[in-house]
Structure formats: structure tokens, C-alpha cells
Amino acid sequence: MSLSTTESTLVAPGTESAPRPEYPRPDRDRSERWVNLNGSWDFEADDIRSLITVPFAWESAASGVRRTWLERGVYRRQVVVPAEWGGRRVVLSFGAVHHRAVVRIDGSLVGEHVGGYESFEFDVTDFVVPGVASELIVEVDAPADKRAIAHGKQRSIPRDDYDGVSFTPTSGIWQSVWLEARGRTYARAVSLRGDSLTGIDVAVSLAGDLVAGTVVRAQVPGSVVEMTTDAAGQASARIEIAEPRLWSPADPHLYRVEILVGGGDTADRVIATTGLRRIETRGEELVLNGSRLYVRGVLDQGYWPDTGLTAPDAEALHRDIALSRELGYNLVRKHLKFEDPIWLHEADRTGMLVWAEPACPSRFSDAAADAFEAQLPAMVERDGNHPSIIIWGLYNEEWGLDWDIPGSASRAEAAERAYDLLRALDDSRPIVENSGWAHVKSDLVDWHYYEPDIATWKQVVADLADGTREEFPVRLGPDFTVDKSFYGSSSFPRTGVPILNSEYGEGFTSLERAWHLRWETQELRRHDRYSGYVYTEFSDVEHECAGLLTEGRRTKDWGGCDPADVNADTVFVLDLVPERAGADLALPVAGFELGVHVSHHGDAPLSLSIHGAWVSAGSPMDAARAADVVSTSRLDVKPFELSGAVPLAVPATGTAGRFLIWATDVDETVVARAYLDAAEVEAPNRRGARTDEFA
């Protein structure tokens, strides 16, 4: 394979029928010599003596075991290192094992790892003989009481305060297991950063026979550098790019960096990928490669039916990103888990932005804080090369901090300490130390707000944007609502830091949720101060039915709403407070003038005409070529500047119908779409539609 070889999903010979047969690390490619160890293993736990299918958690149907609350399991299988690997080093790799793994080969202890979401590996050269079968044993401890360990959305016993939004646990081996042949001295870790925009900063850490004073070559087509490791096996250099091609969602160009250690038959070779891109904050703006960025994100918890936190196949990972894009989103907030490297590589390859974050504990203690922080070096080492990751998250809503940053110096200190540790590990991305509220040290002020009343939502969003208020109500339980603040410290700056909503969404049925999506999102777009939003959520998970899609990624009934229109570069902001889902306007509708603004986040100004027409109830947006079209005068729109309101005449009607609204540019291309539904509203809720005093 050369650097010019087209990337593909490579499958180890003879393992085509194994689950998850693809090479697990396309972003750090060693697929020339590997053995897939997924498939059937012997399994023992409590009274169970059976087979288990790796890499699926023992709670999942796909594992063949489907048992919850097992706290210990032992995996066994025979492995044979290919005879042709003689003279090379052999590395055993695990994508993830929850929570503590002890690994033995033929009874000898190979190593131990603690941490349920991190990838890890062991050099097993001295434990195996190429061509000879060995017994591989993995002993796993997965405590039912997860409160003091990083467990994210996994349910715990005893239950914690997050049980209502937690799901079936994921225990045991839940990501791929494989063997690799490497050089006698090999690159254990490769760090690539392209935020200079003119070159790639390369840092390599070696392991194996001779780590000190070894020459390492790093190259891309047309450019090569050599570096020599220090006594600790570390080396760094910059590959200058003569004609840099920047990575962006519009042009997700990746550089494949070949790392060579040593020479001859036992040389080590790995191809790592990255992109040239810079994400930064400038005052209250997020900036990507020098241009303002507005985040249109969706929260994705990364669960699948029957397989839990493990994707059933690589195609499912690819498809989730494609579906997010089809829904109009430019960012996915991957919630409380390290997602599969194949998913992250697909985000790199296709230009999807990513907000990445580790799993949290759920109760505060010094040990819990230490366990949370222990994940961070592994997170950055595994995922830091991905240009798609533009935000690192840390704690979520003070989970693991007992919802008490403002009232506890030790908890606030834990959040700050996590920020400082992550900043020391990676200085190339904004960091959010406590997503949702109570910020004490953060590069972004993000906030989570759920509100069923649109008029209230509208006012609170406006007040938060202009600084009139800092607090907003948060429902922590069925009968427990508290006011949370942007800030957990009086010293946190009230201006000069980007502000974005990173969780919102309401409604019981899919129709209600689509209605809230339309109206809540437009109010976020009304205020140019905000840097974006993250809708909750991408798909349903078990009992939590807040997804735009079902758990199986099927489309729901959105009542005519197309999320891609809601999340487009160019959208309408209407000066109207709607009645209710299914009846934005109450019948009969007297003719009135609707104030229409345009929010545009494209690269260049637009000159638009806005049109409207009544059509029959439930008509699709392409029915806009109807009779009796009303239009406005031409409106000039600037990027990232909400336009003034233009009046659009809405004719009177006494029958149920849909008033379609669309905008065309100078080429008569439709660039924005919206609609208003008119229907009967039963007393006592009936009232006239309220026009907006902010027009």
C-alpha cells in the first residue's frame, strides 16, 4: 500500500463473517498486518457457561448472553499469531472494555486496564509464539454501583438521580479486539495538529527495542521530515505544506501522514490522518479557519437497538452521520461517550463537526473526580488528531459534582482542574468544563433549557441574549424545579465569551416535538449574539422518545416540518407567537401583516424576495407554486446579521389550511422555507395569534 492508495474498509483474511470485521482504526491505519479477534468466545459469569459474541456487551441481545447486573465475567479464546509475523512485535488492542480488564495469555499476566471507555493495548510479543496457539483470557469486573466511576448514561444500582435518563448498562468487551504486527521499535502514539494552517505538527512516542536516538520519518506526498527521538523515545517536527488545502465542512480534505520507524523487514509503518484547520474563539464568536462559525448541532447518545453502545456494523456509524446531515445539522454532540474511531473518521472524511466528551460519574468524591480525570489523556491521545472535533466537553450539568458547583468550592475546583488538565493536553480546541450551566472556567458559555410554552421560551431566550437575565428554570425532577445560571462564579466574565444553547427541545408526541423544533429554533436564530445550538436529540433511546428519529433510525411523523429547512443556512424568523402544535393560527384567520426576518449564515450577502400562499391543510412545501401568491419587495440580507422585518400579507381564511412561506434569490432559487398551519382551537385555549412586540 502506498500513500496514494484509496482508503477502504479493510477486513482481515478469514474473518469476513465475524461481527465488526473492518479494521477498527482507519484514522491510524496498520491494516497491512492484523488479525480480527471478534466473534465467538467462551464466557463464564455466575451460573453462566456459554458462548458470547464479541464485541457486544453482555447485556445486549447481540452478545447472545443478554444478562444485566452481572458484575464479573471471564472471556476465553484461542489465538494464533501468523507465522509470518516472526521477528516483529505483536500488540493486542482493545477498543473498549467496561470497566476493569485483567488480560492473561496461557495463564501469565499480560496487563490490567481500568476505565470503561478508553482504548488500550498490550505488547504481547513475549507471551506468544508465531504459528502456535495460545489461550487468551480477559477477566472483567463491571460494578453495578457505578456512581463513583465514569459511566455516562449507564444505569446504576443503587440508582442515582439520573436513573430516569439512564439506559441499560454496557459491560464487558464492547468494542473490537485485534492483534497487530509492528516493527521491533514502533510508534506507540502519533499526535498530529494542523491548526497552523500551513503545516502539520507531528509528535511521536516510541516503544519497543530501541526508543532513544531512533530516526523517525514523517511524510505526505511532496513533503518529508526526519526527527530523532530523545532518551524517553519522544520526537517532534513540522511537515510544511507547500500548497495548503484547509479542512472544512465544505471541503473536508484529509492529509494521510506516513510514519516510518527503522528500516528493512522489521520497520514500523503507520498512516495517521488529520486536516489543516483552526478552531478558535474571538470575543463572542466561534471562528473556523478565520471565518465565523454558527453551530447547528444535534445531540447523539450513540445507542443502537439490540447492541447498546456498540454500533452493529460500520455502515450504521456511517449512516448516522449521513442522517444528521440530511436533517440539516453541521455538528453532532456525541454525548457522554468516546465514540467509535470509525464514526470519528467518517466525520473527518465527510465534514461533520463534532463536540466530543467523556463519560461522567454521577456522585462527587475525590476518587470519582480522579477517575473522571484519568480518562482525559487517553481521550486526547486517541481522538486528538481528528479535525472534525472542534469542541471538547468535560462534565455535563454537574453530573458527578452533585449539582452543586455554586455551593461547593471543592466541586468548582474539580471542574476547573479538569479544564486545566485538558488544556495542558490539547491547546487547539475550545473546552467546556461543565456543559449546561454554572460555568467557572470555560471557553464557551453553553446552556441547557427545556420549556414547553413558546411565549415563555421566546422571552427567556431574548432576555438571556441581551443580558437582562442570567438564570433560567431547570426541571430536575417531576416536582423539583430550580433556577440555574450561566455562571457558577461571580468572577466569570459576563461578556466576551461565545454563548450557545447546547440542549433544547420539547413535546410529547413526534408532531409536538417537530412543532417545538420549528418555533424554538427560530427564536435562537433571532439573536445574533448566539453562536449556535444543539437540539436534543438525534434518535430515541430505549424509554427516552425525544429523538427526531426512532431508535432504529426511521423517520417520524413531523407534520410537514422538514428539519433541514429549520436548520438551513438561511431561515425565516417570524414575528408571531403560535397557538399550539397543529394550529399556529386559530380559525377564522383575519387578514394580517406578518413580520418576516431572515437569518443568513452563508458566506455572501443575499438579495431575496419572500412569497406566501394558502394551500390545503398538510400540503408539502413543494406545493408553493399555488395560485394567489403574495410577495414582498426585495430584501437584502447580510451574513450573521438578522434582517429587519418585512411585512408579508397573510390573506384571511375561514377554513383549515397551510400558509406556505418561501424566499427566492436573484436566480429564483428557493433558499428558505416555512409555513403556518391554521385550524380550529377549542375553548378555553382559543385566542388570536399574537404578533410580536419585537418586530
Side-chain angles (χ1 to χ4, degrees):
M1 184 192 304
S2 68
L3 281 174
S4 60
T5 299
T6 301
E7 285 186 79
S8 61
T9 302
L10 296 171
V11 176
T15 63
E16 294 84 352
S17 62
R20 299 300 306 271
E22 67 283 342
Y23 182 71
R25 294 299 307 270
D27 59 316
R28 205 159 299 177
D29 188 358
R30 293 182 180 275
S31 58
E32 291 174 312
R33 300 179 183 87
W34 76 292
V35 172
N36 186 356
L37 299 182
N38 293 340
S40 183
W41 294 49
D42 293 322
F43 183 69
E44 298 178 20
D46 291 350
D47 57 341
I48 299 171
R49 301 291 185 275
S50 71
L51 298 177
I52 190 169
T53 302
V54 170
F56 302 113
W58 61 58
E59 294 90 349
S60 71
S63 73
V65 174
R66 202 171 192 174
R67 280 284 297 274
T68 308
W69 307 124
L70 297 175
E71 292 194 276
R72 179 175 171 78
V74 180
Y75 297 75
R76 286 185 171 85
R77 67 158 289 162
Q78 295 290 303
V79 297
V80 180
V81 174
E84 60 269 25
W85 288 10
R88 290 185 163 271
R89 288 202 164 269
V90 179
V91 174
L92 173 63
S93 298
F94 293 85
V97 180
H98 190 86
H99 173 73
R100 174 178 176 263
V102 176
V103 179
R104 305 179 193 276
I105 293 180
D106 292 335
S108 297
L109 178 65
V110 172
E112 176 182 340
H113 180 268
V114 177
Y117 294 81
E118 306 156 27
S119 297
F120 60 97
E121 63 184 33
F122 299 116
D123 189 325
V124 296
T125 308
D126 296 337
F127 297 88
V128 295
V129 177
V132 177
S134 297
E135 184 183 47
L136 172 61
I137 302 173
V138 183
E139 303 165 1
V140 180
D141 292 314
D145 186 350
K146 298 175 172 60
R147 293 172 295 176
I149 65 175
H151 66 281
K153 286 298 194 83
Q154 299 184 56
R155 196 170 289 116
S156 175
I157 291 182
R159 63 167 289 169
D160 55 33
D161 290 338
Y162 315 100
D163 194 63
V165 292
S166 295
F167 313 117
T168 301
T170 292
S171 302
I173 300 173
W174 66 277
Q175 291 290 324
S176 290
V177 185
W178 71 101
L179 292 168
E180 291 179 353
R182 300 184 184 176
R184 292 300 305 179
T185 301
Y186 60 90
R188 187 198 62 78
V190 177
S191 171
L192 305 176
R193 296 293 185 273
D195 50 302
S196 72
L197 303 186
T198 61
I200 301 170
D201 292 306
V202 183
V204 179
S205 177
L206 300 188
D209 291 357
L210 184 63
V211 300
T214 295
V215 174
V216 179
R217 173 177 290 186
Q219 62 184 24
V220 298
S223 187
V224 59
V225 296
E226 288 189 351
M227 43 193 155
T228 303
T229 56
D230 61 17
Q234 312 286 326
S236 61
R238 172 176 290 186
I239 302 174
E240 296 293 346
I241 308 295
E243 297 181 2
R245 182 176 169 185
L246 304 189
W247 185 97
S248 71
D251 182 19
H253 178 73
L254 293 175
Y255 286 90
R256 304 184 73 222
V257 182
E258 183 180 39
I259 306 294
L260 296 170
V261 183
D265 292 340
T266 59
D268 187 61
R269 179 175 182 268
V270 58
I271 298 176
T273 57
T274 197
L276 301 180
R277 71 101 183 90
R278 180 186 297 145
I279 181 69
E280 57 190 321
T281 62
R282 294 182 185 173
E284 294 190 347
E285 296 181 359
L286 270 172
V287 176
L288 179 65
N289 298 339
S291 298
R292 184 170 177 183
L293 171 68
Y294 189 89
V295 167
R296 305 189 306 271
V298 65
L299 184 142
D300 177 5
Q301 308 208 53
Y303 275 81
W304 287 267
D306 304 321
T307 61
L309 284 175
T310 312
D313 50 46
E315 178 55 31
L317 295 163
H318 296 166
R319 183 168 177 260
D320 275 6
I321 290 178
L323 288 170
S324 295
R325 181 173 290 104
E326 289 174 14
L327 294 168
Y329 295 106
N330 65 3
L331 175 141
V332 176
R333 180 184 173 201
K334 186 58 73 165
H335 197 38
L336 297 173
K337 66 177 288 196
F338 297 175
E339 191 50 278
D340 193 306
I342 290 173
W343 185 91
L344 287 166
H345 186 66
E346 183 71 0
D348 291 343
R349 195 185 65 82
T350 61
M352 179 60 75
L353 303 173
V354 176
W355 176 324
E357 60 194 25
C360 297
S362 55
R363 283 288 174 235
F364 177 74
S365 66
D366 289 342
D370 289 345
F372 177 74
E373 294 166 16
Q375 308 170 92
L376 303 184
M379 179 179 77
V380 173
E381 182 175 298
R382 197 197 77 162
D383 296 340
N385 295 351
H386 292 286
S388 58
I389 297 178
I390 62 162
I391 297 171
W392 288 127
L394 286 166
Y395 287 99
N396 176 71
E397 295 180 354
E398 298 169 276
W399 293 23
L401 301 171
D402 295 342
W403 282 330
D404 198 25
I405 280 181
S408 169
S410 60
R411 288 162 176 78
E413 180 185 356
E416 290 192 47
R417 188 172 63 245
Y419 174 96
D420 289 339
L421 174 58
L422 185 52
R423 174 58 66 222
L425 292 166
D426 183 12
D427 197 35
S428 67
R429 297 169 171 91
I431 296 169
V432 178
E433 94 292 27
N434 175 48
S435 182
W437 55 69
H439 294 291
V440 289
K441 193 171 189 178
S442 179
D443 300 319
L444 303 175
V445 173
D446 78 318
W447 49 292
H448 302 172
Y449 178 42
Y450 297 91
E451 171 55 58
D453 181 70
I454 294 296
T456 302
W457 168 269
K458 177 185 180 67
Q459 188 62 56
V460 171
V461 166
D463 292 346
L464 291 171
D466 67 18
T468 303
R469 64 189 297 164
E470 297 176 352
E471 295 183 339
F472 47 94
V474 174
R475 189 170 59 250
L476 297 179
D479 301 308
F480 180 37
T481 299
V482 299
D483 284 336
K484 287 292 186 179
S485 173
F486 279 176
Y487 312 109
S489 164
S490 60
S491 63
F492 195 99
R494 265 50 178 177
T495 60
V497 180
I499 302 173
L500 71 160
N501 178 289
S502 57
E503 285 190 31
Y504 74 105
E506 271 290 348
F508 181 72
T509 68
S510 59
L511 292 170
E512 288 173 339
R513 294 200 67 84
W515 183 77
H516 278 277
L517 173 71
R518 289 167 51 210
W519 290 101
E520 292 180 5
T521 306
Q522 81 146 28
E523 293 307 319
L524 292 168
R525 291 290 290 260
R526 187 184 292 274
H527 303 284
D528 294 326
R529 186 183 186 191
Y530 294 135
S531 294
Y533 56 80
V534 179
Y535 179 76
T536 306
E537 59 191 313
F538 171 68
S539 67
D540 296 346
V541 184
E542 296 186 0
H543 58 276
E544 189 171 287
C545 297
L548 288 170
L549 306 175
T550 69
E551 193 171 15
R553 279 51 169 179
R554 293 187 301 275
T555 300
K556 295 183 177 182
D557 181 359
W558 299 321
C561 172
D562 184 345
D565 290 338
V566 175
N567 298 308
D569 279 343
T570 307
V571 300
F572 294 120
V573 177
L574 307 178
D575 290 337
L576 183 84
V577 177
E579 285 286 338
R580 61 168 175 79
D584 301 309
L585 304 173
L587 288 176
V589 176
F592 69 99
E593 285 192 343
L594 174 66
V596 180
H597 307 257
V598 175
S599 171
H600 172 57
H601 294 154
D603 296 329
L606 294 176
S607 182
L608 304 176
S609 293
I610 300 172
H611 317 279
W614 281 109
V615 294
S616 59
S619 294
M621 287 303 301
D622 59 11
R625 312 302 175 259
D628 302 321
V629 174
V630 295
S631 300
T632 69
S633 57
R634 191 159 289 278
L635 174 67
D636 293 328
V637 180
K638 298 178 181 179
F640 297 98
E641 183 177 312
L642 185 73
S643 77
V646 295
L648 179 67
V650 180
T653 183
T655 60
R658 175 166 288 173
F659 187 73
L660 301 180
I661 307 169
W662 68 101
T664 54
D665 63 13
V666 293
D667 297 322
E668 297 301 318
T669 301
V670 176
V671 298
R673 297 178 178 87
Y675 63 89
L676 298 173
D677 283 332
E680 291 284 351
V681 177
E682 295 181 1
N685 296 322
R686 182 166 181 164
R687 61 189 188 276
R690 291 172 288 168
T691 55
D692 179 41
E693 68 272 23
F694 300 112

